[in-house]
Amino acid sequence: MCSLPVPREPLRRVAVTGGTHGNEMSGVYLARHWLRDPGELRRPSFSAVPVLANPKAAAACRRYVGRDLNRTFTSAFLTARAVPDDPYEVTRARELNRLLGPKASGGAFDFVLDLHNTTANMGTCLIADAPHNIFALHLCRHLQLQSPERPCRVFLYQLPGEESFAVDSVAKNGMALELGPQPQGVLRADMFSQMRALVAAALDFIELFNQGTAFPAFEMEAYRAVRRVDFPRAEDGDLAGTVHPQLQDRDFEPLQPGAPVFQLFSGADVLFEGESAVYPVFINEAAYYEKGIAFVQSEKLTFFVPALPALPPAPTPDP
Amino acid sequence: MCSLPVPREPLRRVAVTGGTHGNEMSGVYLARHWLRDPGELRRPSFSAVPVLANPKAAAACRRYVGRDLNRTFTSAFLTARAVPDDPYEVTRARELNRLLGPKASGGAFDFVLDLHNTTANMGTCLIADAPHNIFALHLCRHLQLQSPERPCRVFLYQLPGEESFAVDSVAKNGMALELGPQPQGVLRADMFSQMRALVAAALDFIELFNQGTAFPAFEMEAYRAVRRVDFPRAEDGDLAGTVHPQLQDRDFEPLQPGAPVFQLFSGADVLFEGESAVYPVFINEAAYYEKGIAFVQSEKLTFFVPALPALPPAPTPDP
């Protein structure tokens, strides 16, 4: 498995983005809070920059106003010539790419941590793009070790061959926090505190790394997206049923062949026709209805993450 | 306590309205299902009419597109002269008033049952306007007796002196079903089935009444709205905190003086300063942020509901 090069210098330029989706309230209100009072984001070797990623959508308390910002960081959108009727989020993605990127360039931020909520029962979920992102996976491991009593799953969202499209992909390194269940437009104190603590722990990890800490190799368990599964549909394209009560809220649990997946309005059940167990995630996420996704089918995998070597000592200035 | 006159004739004109708020999915999809296949709404003495109350908002999966439809059935909106820039929902309220009303007229529908979801943890909640609505309270009692193992609370929403503003107020009699918690834009199979069963039981009750059944007097426990409580706010009007974890999800439970109500982003708690216990409902409802309502403070009351007398026997046609 090929790996991204690990950082060989301290991470100085770090950003925490909230409100990439304007109705995912933990990140919206953490970003707003830190923009007023950024003290919590300071560490001895760096200060993370808070960013309210989609201010217009946050003001309207909607996921987006023109198109989904977090699907807009592809080279097609970032490099196309700006035209007057570009959706707001296309313009905003280019602004964020100038601020935090440019994507895939040496001038990009060292790390972007992007904050999300889901209506699905996913608990604390850490989203990295792919298993070759060693630095992000060590960060995930660090977060898992902070509260070993609470499940904290790692989800690898990138489908094979798919270009990265999320805001954190404009930085050299990044990942997302996904906390649920929380309804769109609702700010739950428990989720808010938990996300705040996770961000603090992530910044602590970066500080440890910057200070010269080495992190040993380990074996990681993660869930990797395999395919997206749509709702049952009537002839006119509208829903013909919804997620079955036996699947609802069972994110990350194995779905066995023959188990019910959907309940039709007619009362009939639709059964899972796969040949072996899969692991559904983002089950019945509100924002995915319009994308034609009832859940994301994932596979559970275990893989080896190589050690993250300590940074070389900083050169001592000449006497 | 003054009482509304009870019906002295069978209820023939009955409507079930869903999607009055376009992102409350149980009602949206029940209405759409029944518009295709209304068989479930037929009873021997009447057929209930399914109505998708706010089709534009349902198509956009938003609560409303112009203004909250379910606050628009006041005489000021219903009787004002139509102007071209009326919000969509003002026009739609007048259409529904023509279809199901006119409000407070002899030509109005006999009963409207309006279907809602909340993000609050309110379980099954039956919403009537006031304790003098004897027919609706007998219907509530009937629904409570259908599943005595499950709490099924009655909430009286009308504040003292307030004009009725909800869609069911255009009919001679009406009430609303409020099921939660369900995120906006999510269709949970369990809520869908439960609402479907409640509607069936409500229509069964009307059928029993139409067939000449009498219902005895009883003592009812209900929650009555007393006042609306806003979130703590910063100087710029934005949230300074949110519902305290110890209050979150505790709808209908007593809130004692001195108990925490809000958790500020600073970490400090805001305590309840009342002099006696109150009963919060609609705690952290997504749609109420913009209305400045963190929860509705209610009082628990017990009152006597007089008997609902049997209809007089239908006159026998002359031989």
Side-chain angles (χ1 to χ4, degrees):
Chain A
M1 194 180 294
C2 76
S3 302
L4 278 184
V6 296
R8 299 310 303 141
E9 290 184 4
L11 284 66
R12 307 280 186 202
R13 299 173 70 217
V14 176
V16 183
T17 48
T20 301
H21 295 132
N23 54 11
E24 298 179 5
M25 301 280 268
S26 305
V28 168
Y29 276 95
L30 282 169
R32 286 179 175 162
H33 176 68
W34 290 326
L35 284 166
R36 279 191 295 263
D37 183 1
E40 279 173 53
L41 302 184
R42 291 193 196 115
R43 294 295 180 277
S45 66
F46 71 103
S47 289
V49 177
V51 178
L52 183 61
N54 194 334
K56 271 203 188 180
C61 198
R62 288 164 59 184
R63 184 174 177 89
Y64 57 83
V65 295
R67 58 165 278 125
D68 191 334
L69 175 63
N70 215 32
R71 303 292 182 277
T72 308
F73 294 90
T74 56
S75 59
F77 283 113
L78 296 179
T79 62
R81 197 167 57 86
V83 293
D85 61 350
D86 275 332
Y88 167 71
E89 279 82 4
V90 171
T91 306
R92 182 63 180 152
R94 291 177 188 140
E95 285 173 8
L96 290 169
N97 190 44
R98 283 192 294 274
L99 175 69
L100 305 173
K103 184 169 178 170
S105 80
F109 260 53
D110 295 313
F111 199 89
V112 167
L113 182 63
D114 190 35
L115 310 184
H116 290 266
N117 294 117
T118 173
T119 66
N121 187 28
M122 287 171 64
T124 301
C125 177
L126 314 173
I127 303 189
D129 47 1
H132 58 250
N133 191 338
I134 290 175
F135 186 84
L137 294 180
H138 274 275
L139 171 47
C140 290
R141 176 75 176 152
H142 180 81
L143 297 181
Q144 288 177 326
L145 294 173
Q146 298 308 298
S147 46
E149 75 289 354
R150 189 199 318 248
C152 178
R153 274 96 166 202
V154 174
F155 179 62
L156 307 168
Y157 77 88
Q158 210 166 8
L159 292 178
E162 198 175 48
E163 184 186 358
S164 62
F165 46 65
V167 61
D168 55 281
S169 72
V170 305
K172 289 176 189 153
N173 243 309
M175 56 171 286
L177 302 180
E178 185 79 69
L179 264 60
Q182 180 172 268
Q184 296 176 343
V186 170
L187 182 65
R188 288 183 64 101
D190 52 359
M191 297 271 159
F192 183 85
S193 301
Q194 195 181 336
M195 190 171 271
R196 196 174 193 170
L198 285 162
V199 171
L203 301 184
D204 291 344
F205 172 83
I206 295 173
E207 179 63 25
L208 285 171
F209 177 77
N210 283 355
Q211 297 295 353
T213 308
F215 296 87
F218 64 96
E219 199 166 66
M220 168 157 268
E221 187 179 82
Y223 298 79
R224 180 163 59 185
V226 175
R227 70 185 191 96
R228 298 163 187 147
V229 179
D230 195 6
F231 289 91
R233 300 273 172 185
E235 278 183 16
D236 63 0
D238 202 358
L239 302 189
T242 191
V243 170
H244 197 279
Q246 290 183 40
L247 179 59
Q248 179 70 46
D249 302 329
R250 302 254 169 108
D251 300 75
F252 298 111
E253 293 183 28
L255 173 67
Q256 302 292 349
V261 177
F262 296 111
Q263 192 168 69
L264 302 181
F265 301 146
S266 68
D269 288 349
V270 177
L271 307 182
F272 177 52
E273 292 185 345
E275 292 183 349
S276 58
V278 298
Y279 297 83
V281 295
F282 284 110
I283 297 172
N284 218 344
E285 157 59 42
Y288 288 1
Y289 278 66
E290 65 174 22
K291 298 181 197 293
I293 303 173
F295 61 89
V296 177
Q297 191 173 308
S298 79
E299 60 185 0
K300 191 173 182 176
L301 65 167
T302 303
F303 54 95
F304 183 77
V305 179
L308 182 62
L311 286 175
T316 323
D318 287 335
Chain B
M1 193 180 292
C2 76
S3 302
L4 278 185
V6 296
R8 298 312 302 143
E9 290 184 6
L11 283 68
R12 308 279 186 204
R13 300 172 69 216
V14 175
V16 183
T17 49
T20 301
H21 295 133
N23 54 11
E24 299 179 5
M25 301 280 267
S26 305
V28 168
Y29 276 96
L30 281 169
R32 285 178 176 162
H33 176 68
W34 289 327
L35 284 165
R36 279 191 295 262
D37 184 2
E40 279 172 54
L41 302 185
R42 289 191 196 119
R43 293 294 178 278
S45 65
F46 71 102
S47 289
V49 177
V51 177
L52 184 61
N54 194 334
K56 270 202 187 178
C61 198
R62 289 164 60 185
R63 183 174 178 88
Y64 57 82
V65 295
R67 60 165 276 126
D68 192 334
L69 175 62
N70 214 32
R71 303 293 182 277
T72 309
F73 294 91
T74 57
S75 59
F77 284 113
L78 296 179
T79 63
R81 199 168 55 86
V83 293
D85 61 349
D86 275 331
Y88 166 71
E89 279 83 3
V90 172
T91 305
R92 182 64 179 152
R94 291 177 187 140
E95 284 173 9
L96 290 169
N97 190 45
R98 282 193 294 274
L99 176 68
L100 305 173
K103 185 170 178 170
S105 80
F109 260 54
D110 295 312
F111 199 89
V112 167
L113 182 63
D114 191 34
L115 310 183
H116 289 267
N117 294 117
T118 172
T119 66
N121 186 29
M122 287 171 64
T124 301
C125 178
L126 314 174
I127 303 189
D129 47 3
H132 57 252
N133 191 338
I134 291 176
F135 185 84
L137 295 180
H138 274 276
L139 171 46
C140 291
R141 177 75 176 152
H142 180 81
L143 296 181
Q144 288 176 326
L145 294 173
Q146 298 307 299
S147 47
E149 75 290 353
R150 190 200 315 250
C152 177
R153 275 96 166 202
V154 174
F155 179 63
L156 306 169
Y157 78 88
Q158 211 166 8
L159 292 180
E162 198 174 48
E163 183 186 357
S164 62
F165 46 66
V167 62
D168 54 281
S169 73
V170 305
K172 290 177 189 154
N173 244 309
M175 56 170 287
L177 302 180
E178 185 78 70
L179 265 59
Q182 180 171 268
Q184 296 177 342
V186 170
L187 182 65
R188 287 183 64 100
D190 51 0
M191 297 272 159
F192 183 86
S193 300
Q194 195 181 336
M195 189 170 271
R196 196 176 194 170
L198 285 162
V199 172
L203 301 184
D204 291 344
F205 172 83
I206 295 174
E207 178 63 24
L208 285 172
F209 177 77
N210 284 354
Q211 298 294 353
T213 307
F215 296 87
F218 64 96
E219 199 165 65
M220 168 157 269
E221 187 179 81
Y223 299 80
R224 180 162 60 184
V226 175
R227 70 185 191 95
R228 298 162 186 147
V229 180
D230 195 6
F231 291 91
R233 301 275 172 184
E235 279 182 14
D236 63 0
D238 203 357
L239 302 188
T242 191
V243 170
H244 197 280
Q246 290 183 40
L247 178 59
Q248 178 71 45
D249 302 329
R250 303 255 170 105
D251 300 76
F252 297 110
E253 293 184 26
L255 173 67
Q256 302 291 350
V261 176
F262 297 111
Q263 192 168 70
L264 301 180
F265 302 145
S266 68
D269 288 348
V270 177
L271 308 182
F272 177 53
E273 292 185 345
E275 292 182 349
S276 58
V278 299
Y279 297 82
V281 295
F282 284 110
I283 297 172
N284 218 345
E285 157 60 42
Y288 288 1
Y289 279 67
E290 65 173 22
K291 300 183 197 290
I293 303 173
F295 61 89
V296 176
Q297 191 175 307
S298 78
E299 60 185 1
K300 190 174 181 175
L301 65 166
T302 303
F303 54 95
F304 182 77
V305 179
L308 182 61
L311 286 175
T316 323
D318 288 332

